[in-house]
Amino acid sequence: MERLLQRKREAIAQMFSAIAPRYDLLNRLLSLGADVCWRRFAVQWLPVSARCIVDIGAGTGDFAFAALRRCSDAKVIGVDFSQRMLERARRKAKPSFMPHCQWLVADALRLPLRDKAADAVLCAFTARNFEDLTQGFEEMARVLRGGGVALILEFCQPPSSWWWTPVGLFIRYGVPLIGGWLGDPVAYAYLTASIRTFLPAEDIANSIRQVGFRRVDWVPLTLGVTTLFRAVK
Protein backbone atom coordinates (compact mmCIF):
# COMPACT_ATOMS: atom_id res chain seq x y z
CA MET A 1 0.00 0.00 0.00
CA GLU A 2 2.78 2.43 0.92
CA ARG A 3 4.44 1.73 -2.41
CA LEU A 4 1.21 2.52 -4.27
CA LEU A 5 0.80 5.77 -2.33
CA GLN A 6 4.39 6.71 -3.10
CA ARG A 7 3.74 6.11 -6.80
CA LYS A 8 0.63 8.30 -6.61
CA ARG A 9 2.61 11.09 -4.92
CA GLU A 10 5.29 10.86 -7.56
CA ALA A 11 2.75 10.88 -10.40
CA ILE A 12 1.01 14.00 -9.05
CA ALA A 13 4.36 15.73 -8.46
CA GLN A 14 5.43 14.93 -12.03
CA MET A 15 2.12 16.19 -13.38
CA PHE A 16 2.43 19.54 -11.63
CA SER A 17 6.08 19.84 -12.55
CA ALA A 18 5.14 19.33 -16.20
CA ILE A 19 2.67 22.23 -16.17
CA ALA A 20 4.83 24.56 -14.01
CA PRO A 21 6.09 26.72 -16.94
CA ARG A 22 2.55 27.69 -17.97
CA TYR A 23 0.79 27.23 -14.66
CA ASP A 24 0.23 30.93 -13.93
CA LEU A 25 -0.86 31.73 -17.47
CA LEU A 26 -3.40 28.91 -17.53
CA ASN A 27 -4.73 29.83 -14.09
CA ARG A 28 -5.43 33.37 -15.30
CA LEU A 29 -6.98 32.24 -18.58
CA LEU A 30 -9.12 29.43 -17.23
CA SER A 31 -10.44 31.45 -14.28
CA LEU A 32 -10.67 34.70 -16.27
CA GLY A 33 -8.43 36.22 -13.64
CA ALA A 34 -10.70 35.24 -10.76
CA ASP A 35 -8.00 33.16 -9.04
CA VAL A 36 -6.17 36.40 -8.19
CA CYS A 37 -9.34 37.81 -6.62
CA TRP A 38 -9.95 34.60 -4.62
CA ARG A 39 -6.53 34.85 -2.98
CA ARG A 40 -6.87 38.57 -2.31
CA PHE A 41 -10.24 37.97 -0.68
CA ALA A 42 -8.92 35.09 1.41
CA VAL A 43 -5.95 36.95 2.89
CA GLN A 44 -8.25 39.67 4.20
CA TRP A 45 -9.02 37.15 6.97
CA LEU A 46 -5.38 36.83 8.00
CA PRO A 47 -4.53 38.56 11.29
CA VAL A 48 -2.15 41.37 10.42
CA SER A 49 -0.13 40.43 13.52
CA ALA A 50 0.75 37.01 12.04
CA ARG A 51 4.50 36.40 12.13
CA CYS A 52 4.74 32.86 10.74
CA ILE A 53 2.49 31.71 7.89
CA VAL A 54 2.69 28.26 6.30
CA ASP A 55 1.48 27.91 2.71
CA ILE A 56 0.71 24.26 1.97
CA GLY A 57 0.80 23.40 -1.70
CA ALA A 58 2.45 26.74 -2.36
CA GLY A 59 2.91 26.13 -6.08
CA THR A 60 4.35 29.22 -7.75
CA GLY A 61 3.85 31.37 -4.65
CA ASP A 62 0.78 33.49 -5.44
CA PHE A 63 -0.98 32.83 -2.11
CA ALA A 64 2.26 33.41 -0.18
CA PHE A 65 2.86 36.74 -1.92
CA ALA A 66 -0.74 37.84 -1.32
CA ALA A 67 -0.25 37.06 2.37
CA LEU A 68 2.93 39.13 2.52
CA ARG A 69 1.14 42.11 1.03
CA ARG A 70 -1.18 42.00 4.03
CA CYS A 71 1.31 40.87 6.69
CA SER A 72 4.49 42.64 5.63
CA ASP A 73 6.48 41.59 8.71
CA ALA A 74 5.58 37.91 8.49
CA LYS A 75 7.71 34.99 7.38
CA VAL A 76 6.01 32.66 4.91
CA ILE A 77 7.08 29.03 4.63
CA GLY A 78 5.93 27.67 1.28
CA VAL A 79 5.65 23.88 1.11
CA ASP A 80 5.14 21.90 -2.09
CA PHE A 81 6.20 18.52 -3.42
CA SER A 82 7.08 19.93 -6.85
CA GLN A 83 10.57 21.36 -6.99
CA ARG A 84 9.83 23.05 -10.34
CA MET A 85 6.84 24.89 -8.91
CA LEU A 86 8.92 26.23 -6.03
CA GLU A 87 11.71 27.24 -8.39
CA ARG A 88 9.22 29.46 -10.20
CA ALA A 89 8.06 30.88 -6.88
CA ARG A 90 11.64 31.83 -6.02
CA ARG A 91 12.09 33.54 -9.37
CA LYS A 92 8.78 35.42 -9.05
CA ALA A 93 9.41 36.78 -5.56
CA LYS A 94 9.95 40.54 -5.46
CA PRO A 95 13.25 41.59 -3.84
CA SER A 96 11.35 42.93 -0.84
CA PHE A 97 9.66 39.54 -0.34
CA MET A 98 12.81 37.38 -0.59
CA PRO A 99 13.94 37.78 3.05
CA HIS A 100 10.45 36.79 4.19
CA CYS A 101 10.13 33.57 2.15
CA GLN A 102 11.34 30.05 2.75
CA TRP A 103 10.54 27.28 0.26
CA LEU A 104 10.47 23.61 1.26
CA VAL A 105 9.99 20.52 -0.91
CA ALA A 106 7.92 18.32 1.39
CA ASP A 107 4.77 16.25 1.78
CA ALA A 108 1.74 18.16 3.13
CA LEU A 109 0.88 15.13 5.29
CA ARG A 110 4.32 15.16 6.94
CA LEU A 111 5.24 18.80 7.35
CA PRO A 112 8.85 19.31 8.51
CA LEU A 113 7.73 21.86 11.10
CA ARG A 114 7.44 21.75 14.85
CA ASP A 115 4.13 21.77 16.70
CA LYS A 116 2.44 25.17 17.13
CA ALA A 117 4.99 26.89 14.90
CA ALA A 118 2.58 28.98 12.83
CA ASP A 119 0.09 31.76 13.34
CA ALA A 120 -1.72 30.94 10.09
CA VAL A 121 -1.91 28.23 7.45
CA LEU A 122 -2.82 28.77 3.79
CA CYS A 123 -3.87 26.03 1.40
CA ALA A 124 -5.14 26.75 -2.11
CA PHE A 125 -6.46 23.97 -4.35
CA THR A 126 -4.34 21.30 -2.69
CA ALA A 127 -6.66 19.47 -0.29
CA ARG A 128 -8.20 17.50 -3.19
CA ASN A 129 -4.78 15.97 -3.76
CA PHE A 130 -4.25 14.81 -0.17
CA GLU A 131 -3.94 11.03 0.05
CA ASP A 132 -5.68 11.26 3.42
CA LEU A 133 -7.85 14.35 3.90
CA THR A 134 -8.12 13.95 7.67
CA GLN A 135 -4.36 13.62 8.04
CA GLY A 136 -3.85 16.73 5.96
CA PHE A 137 -6.16 18.74 8.22
CA GLU A 138 -4.52 17.22 11.31
CA GLU A 139 -1.15 18.50 10.10
CA MET A 140 -2.62 21.98 9.70
CA ALA A 141 -3.95 21.84 13.26
CA ARG A 142 -0.66 20.47 14.59
CA VAL A 143 1.51 23.31 13.27
CA LEU A 144 -0.95 26.06 14.28
CA ARG A 145 -0.82 27.85 17.59
CA GLY A 146 -3.99 28.18 19.64
CA GLY A 147 -6.16 30.85 18.04
CA GLY A 148 -4.37 30.41 14.72
CA VAL A 149 -6.34 30.48 11.49
CA ALA A 150 -6.36 28.18 8.46
CA LEU A 151 -7.55 29.62 5.15
CA ILE A 152 -8.38 26.95 2.58
CA LEU A 153 -9.46 27.61 -0.99
CA GLU A 154 -10.80 24.58 -2.78
CA PHE A 155 -12.96 23.32 -5.63
CA CYS A 156 -15.69 21.38 -3.82
CA GLN A 157 -18.07 18.88 -5.32
CA PRO A 158 -21.10 20.91 -6.50
CA PRO A 159 -24.70 19.68 -6.85
CA SER A 160 -25.15 17.57 -9.99
CA SER A 161 -27.37 20.25 -11.54
CA TRP A 162 -24.50 22.79 -11.29
CA TRP A 163 -22.58 20.97 -14.02
CA TRP A 164 -25.28 21.98 -16.52
CA THR A 165 -24.98 25.70 -15.78
CA PRO A 166 -22.79 27.80 -18.13
CA VAL A 167 -19.99 27.86 -15.55
CA GLY A 168 -20.27 24.14 -14.89
CA LEU A 169 -20.22 23.31 -18.60
CA PHE A 170 -17.12 25.44 -19.09
CA ILE A 171 -15.27 23.65 -16.28
CA ARG A 172 -16.48 20.26 -17.47
CA TYR A 173 -15.59 20.68 -21.14
CA GLY A 174 -13.79 23.98 -21.69
CA VAL A 175 -11.10 23.64 -19.03
CA PRO A 176 -9.79 20.24 -20.22
CA LEU A 177 -9.89 21.43 -23.84
CA ILE A 178 -8.06 24.73 -23.29
CA GLY A 179 -5.74 23.26 -20.67
CA GLY A 180 -4.83 20.43 -23.00
CA TRP A 181 -4.25 22.80 -25.88
CA LEU A 182 -1.98 25.16 -23.97
CA GLY A 183 -0.65 22.88 -21.26
CA ASP A 184 -1.05 19.21 -20.41
CA PRO A 185 -4.28 17.35 -21.34
CA VAL A 186 -3.87 14.81 -18.52
CA ALA A 187 -3.40 17.49 -15.86
CA TYR A 188 -6.50 19.46 -16.79
CA ALA A 189 -8.66 16.38 -17.29
CA TYR A 190 -7.52 15.41 -13.79
CA LEU A 191 -8.59 18.83 -12.49
CA THR A 192 -12.17 18.38 -13.67
CA ALA A 193 -12.33 14.75 -12.55
CA SER A 194 -11.00 15.59 -9.08
CA ILE A 195 -13.68 18.26 -8.59
CA ARG A 196 -16.41 15.79 -9.53
CA THR A 197 -15.15 13.16 -7.09
CA PHE A 198 -14.25 15.44 -4.16
CA LEU A 199 -16.50 16.20 -1.19
CA PRO A 200 -19.24 18.84 -0.87
CA ALA A 201 -18.32 21.92 1.18
CA GLU A 202 -20.33 20.86 4.24
CA ASP A 203 -18.52 17.51 4.44
CA ILE A 204 -15.15 19.22 4.11
CA ALA A 205 -16.08 21.64 6.92
CA ASN A 206 -17.07 18.69 9.12
CA SER A 207 -13.70 17.03 8.45
CA ILE A 208 -11.92 20.22 9.50
CA ARG A 209 -13.95 20.42 12.73
CA GLN A 210 -13.19 16.82 13.63
CA VAL A 211 -9.44 17.43 13.88
CA GLY A 212 -9.80 20.09 16.57
CA PHE A 213 -10.69 23.42 14.95
CA ARG A 214 -13.20 25.18 17.17
CA ARG A 215 -14.80 27.33 14.49
CA VAL A 216 -15.20 26.64 10.78
CA ASP A 217 -16.96 28.96 8.32
CA TRP A 218 -17.14 28.77 4.56
CA VAL A 219 -18.36 30.89 1.70
CA PRO A 220 -18.78 30.00 -2.01
CA LEU A 221 -17.08 32.34 -4.47
CA THR A 222 -17.77 33.16 -8.15
CA LEU A 223 -21.08 31.32 -8.53
CA GLY A 224 -19.82 28.35 -6.58
CA VAL A 225 -16.72 27.74 -8.64
CA THR A 226 -14.57 27.70 -5.51
CA THR A 227 -15.09 27.84 -1.76
CA LEU A 228 -13.15 29.62 0.98
CA PHE A 229 -12.96 27.85 4.35
CA ARG A 230 -11.84 29.78 7.43
CA ALA A 231 -10.98 27.59 10.41
CA VAL A 232 -9.86 28.84 13.82
CA LYS A 233 -7.97 26.51 16.14
Side-chain angles (χ1 to χ4, degrees):
M1 178 61 73
E2 180 59 33
R3 185 173 296 177
L4 288 174
L5 292 176
Q6 179 63 28
R7 288 177 181 172
K8 180 181 177 181
R9 284 194 292 268
E10 291 173 355
I12 293 176
Q14 290 172 2
M15 180 178 67
F16 279 98
S17 293
I19 63 175
R22 293 192 174 184
Y23 184 74
D24 292 332
L25 171 64
L26 283 165
N27 280 351
R28 304 300 177 269
L29 288 175
L30 296 176
S31 72
L32 302 178
D35 66 304
V36 176
C37 299
W38 298 334
R39 292 180 178 88
R40 285 177 180 169
F41 177 77
V43 298
Q44 292 181 50
W45 304 102
L46 277 175
V48 293
S49 59
R51 290 296 176 266
C52 181
I53 301 169
V54 178
D55 184 4
I56 298 173
T60 61
D62 284 344
F63 215 176
F65 302 144
L68 285 173
R69 291 185 184 98
R70 176 168 173 82
C71 306
S72 57
D73 294 329
K75 174 183 179 180
V76 176
I77 302 172
V79 179
D80 202 286
F81 53 19
S82 170
Q83 178 70 49
R84 290 189 71 187
M85 285 285 195
L86 294 182
E87 287 171 357
R88 291 191 66 81
R90 289 189 185 96
R91 290 197 296 269
K92 283 171 56 179
K94 297 193 304 183
S96 61
F97 287 166
M98 289 179 181
H100 298 273
C101 296
Q102 179 181 359
W103 310 104
L104 300 176
V105 178
D107 187 341
L109 304 190
R110 301 169 185 83
L111 296 171
L113 302 169
R114 60 181 175 80
D115 295 356
K116 301 179 181 179
D119 301 301
V121 167
L122 310 176
C123 184
F125 313 115
T126 299
R128 284 173 298 112
N129 300 319
F130 289 166
E131 296 158 9
D132 185 318
L133 189 63
T134 298
Q135 187 178 344
F137 292 149
E138 286 175 343
E139 277 293 272
M140 294 183 192
R142 180 184 68 80
V143 301
L144 273 176
R145 299 188 178 100
V149 61
L151 298 173
I152 303 165
L153 283 165
E154 194 48 270
F155 300 120
C156 304
Q157 184 188 105
S160 57
S161 59
W162 182 88
W163 289 104
W164 298 102
T165 65
V167 173
L169 288 169
F170 175 72
I171 291 177
R172 189 174 181 179
Y173 298 110
V175 166
L177 182 64
I178 298 170
W181 179 41
L182 295 175
D184 184 309
V186 174
Y188 288 91
Y190 168 81
L191 170 63
T192 301
S194 65
I195 296 171
R196 298 185 71 179
T197 57
F198 198 44
L199 297 172
E202 186 170 352
D203 291 350
I204 297 169
N206 287 334
S207 294
I208 298 170
R209 290 190 188 97
Q210 289 170 6
V211 303
F213 287 92
R214 59 185 173 84
R215 178 179 175 181
V216 182
D217 304 302
W218 75 93
V219 59
L221 305 175
T222 315
L223 303 176
V225 173
T226 191
T227 301
L228 170 64
F229 297 87
R230 176 180 176 269
V232 181
K233 182 177 174 182

